[in-house]
Amino acid sequence: MTTPTPTPGIHHVTCIAGNPQQNMDFWVETLGLRLVKRSINQDDAGTYHFFFADAEGTPGTSMTFFPWEDMKQGKVGSGQVSRTAFRVPEGSLDYWEERFEEYGVDYDERVERFGETVLPFRDPDDLPVELVAVEIGDDDPTVPWTEFVPEDVAIRGFHSVTLWLADPDPTTDLLRTMGLEEVATEQAQGDTPGDERTRFAAAGPVGRYVDVLPTIQGGRQGHGTVHHVAFQTPTDEDQRAMREAVQSAGLRPTQQIDRHWFRSVYFREFGGVLFELATRDPGYTSDEPLDDLGGRLVLPGKFEDRREEIEAKLTDVTIPTADAVEADD
Ligand code: ZN
């Protein structure tokens, strides 16, 4: 077996929401991300799949949601991604606290973690999210979206995910197999149940950290929880090698599945968290021009033939735009 090319980091994170309009309003207007794709769950065509990202849908920036209205409220616990953290420019947390006050967002006091300042908050479905202030270099691959927030405060892709695990060791071995390196350990603090937080770093600049916290606190999937985390395997070749390595480690990855904007392999890691490996290509601009991303309901492949039936099942949603919000004021 050859050693796989280390993953550059997180590709996307997919979560479960309740009301689709509430989800759209929060992630687009309150947080200022761009809706880069409006589609359906390819395994459940009566449910939306929203993709919120930076201005260009750069790998490592997209937070995606299945708004499953019939599902119950979930509980964050062991075997899940417990926290999803985004990068924001240094000096922008005052702006975000003021915005959270203005929009009535449920946020906590800032905490210091591994020398960085973290602002924890929850989305309307009670999903735990964090903003981490970092220095954004001139050569940063992410592109700020400025419809609702100024450029110098805009969210710039993922910072990290935190995994809560009953027994972290097999998972940390797997992270090493995927090319992440252990970089630091410190006493856990804030609203987390474990004693010690261990940080692993991937190779790329965006979505590069995975933190691991040991806990046996039980959870259940539902609104306000993460469904899976995807890691970048830029090429098919990278993905094939990573898939083999994961299989050799004793896990059971799926075959490659065409997800229209990337090709994916899924497996449940040892601690119970659903991992995905996603290619870089063809990307979100493969079926809509950059200027029009998110503008229409995109139905991949065979689903296009069922457009009428599918659209009839979906709740209507309005995409917030700065013009419409101003007109309301
Ligand atoms: Zn995914």
Side-chain angles (χ1 to χ4, degrees):
M1 190 192 78
T2 50
T3 309
T5 309
T7 177
I10 297 163
H11 182 281
H12 64 269
V13 175
T14 295
C15 311
I16 302 170
N19 182 278
Q21 185 69 60
Q22 176 181 267
N23 178 249
M24 175 82 73
D25 288 347
F26 184 81
W27 286 86
V28 172
E29 184 181 342
T30 310
L31 293 184
L33 293 185
R34 182 177 190 190
L35 175 71
V36 293
K37 200 63 65 185
R38 184 158 50 105
S39 189
I40 50 161
N41 181 324
Q42 292 176 37
D43 301 313
D44 173 16
T47 302
Y48 279 118
H49 193 181
F50 297 148
F51 297 72
F52 308 114
D54 75 348
E56 298 190 356
T58 309
T61 69
S62 50
M63 183 74 162
T64 94
F65 288 89
F66 300 133
W68 265 315
E69 293 195 83
D70 294 342
M71 207 178 245
K72 289 202 174 71
Q73 186 63 35
K75 183 169 180 283
V76 176
S78 178
Q80 291 181 16
V81 170
S82 65
R83 298 289 183 273
T84 305
F86 292 89
R87 306 186 312 150
V88 291
E90 258 174 358
S92 68
L93 292 180
D94 286 344
Y95 170 92
W96 283 106
E97 276 179 359
E98 272 173 40
R99 191 168 180 86
F100 289 170
E101 285 289 334
E102 186 188 337
Y103 281 82
V105 177
D106 179 21
Y107 71 95
D108 297 331
E109 277 190 18
R110 301 177 194 185
V111 292
E112 293 294 316
R113 187 187 296 157
F114 299 118
E116 296 172 326
T117 309
V118 181
L119 175 59
F121 63 102
R122 281 153 297 279
D123 91 341
D125 286 296
D126 223 22
L127 179 78
V129 194
E130 299 169 332
L131 297 180
V132 185
V134 300
E135 200 183 311
I136 308 279
D138 291 338
D139 56 349
D140 198 83
T142 65
V143 185
W145 178 244
T146 57
E147 172 118 23
F148 284 104
V149 299
E151 179 173 343
D152 60 347
V153 303
I155 288 176
R156 304 294 289 269
F158 292 112
H159 174 276
S160 56
V161 289
T162 299
L163 311 180
W164 283 3
L165 300 165
D167 173 15
D169 290 348
T171 303
T172 55
D173 286 344
L174 173 71
L175 292 174
R176 291 188 185 94
T177 299
M178 292 171 63
L180 289 93
E181 284 175 26
E182 184 176 330
V183 289
T185 296
E186 70 174 29
Q187 197 67 27
Q189 47 167 335
D191 62 342
T192 53
D195 301 330
E196 212 167 56
R197 176 184 289 267
T198 306
R199 173 157 290 180
F200 291 79
V206 187
R208 67 183 306 224
Y209 298 118
V210 176
D211 287 2
V212 170
L213 270 165
T215 176
I216 54 164
Q217 181 173 302
R220 68 170 175 274
Q221 203 159 72
H223 297 165
T225 61
V226 173
H227 187 269
H228 64 267
V229 54
F231 293 92
Q232 301 177 43
T233 45
T235 67
D236 285 333
E237 205 54 48
D238 295 333
Q239 190 177 68
R240 200 171 308 126
M242 190 70 84
R243 184 184 179 281
E244 262 176 40
V246 162
Q247 195 162 36
S248 299
L251 293 164
R252 299 178 57 191
T254 63
Q255 294 299 318
Q256 189 187 64
I257 298 171
D258 183 1
R259 288 306 190 193
H260 197 62
W261 307 287
F262 33 83
R263 292 175 293 281
S264 300
V265 167
Y266 299 84
F267 56 94
R268 209 165 277 285
E269 58 79 39
F270 299 104
V273 185
L274 186 59
F275 277 14
E276 174 182 346
L277 308 173
T279 58
R280 180 179 44 215
D281 296 329
Y284 299 123
T285 51
S286 62
D287 53 9
E288 288 178 303
L290 183 59
D291 285 351
D292 300 338
L293 287 181
R296 56 187 277 271
L297 180 73
V298 175
L299 298 178
K302 59 182 188 212
F303 295 105
E304 185 58 48
D305 303 337
R306 296 168 49 200
R307 178 172 284 271
E308 215 167 294
E309 172 210 333
I310 290 168
E311 282 184 342
K313 272 194 224 154
L314 295 167
T315 324
D316 281 341
V317 286
T318 308
I319 302 163
T321 61
D323 289 349
V325 168
E326 256 170 45
D328 274 355
D329 288 344

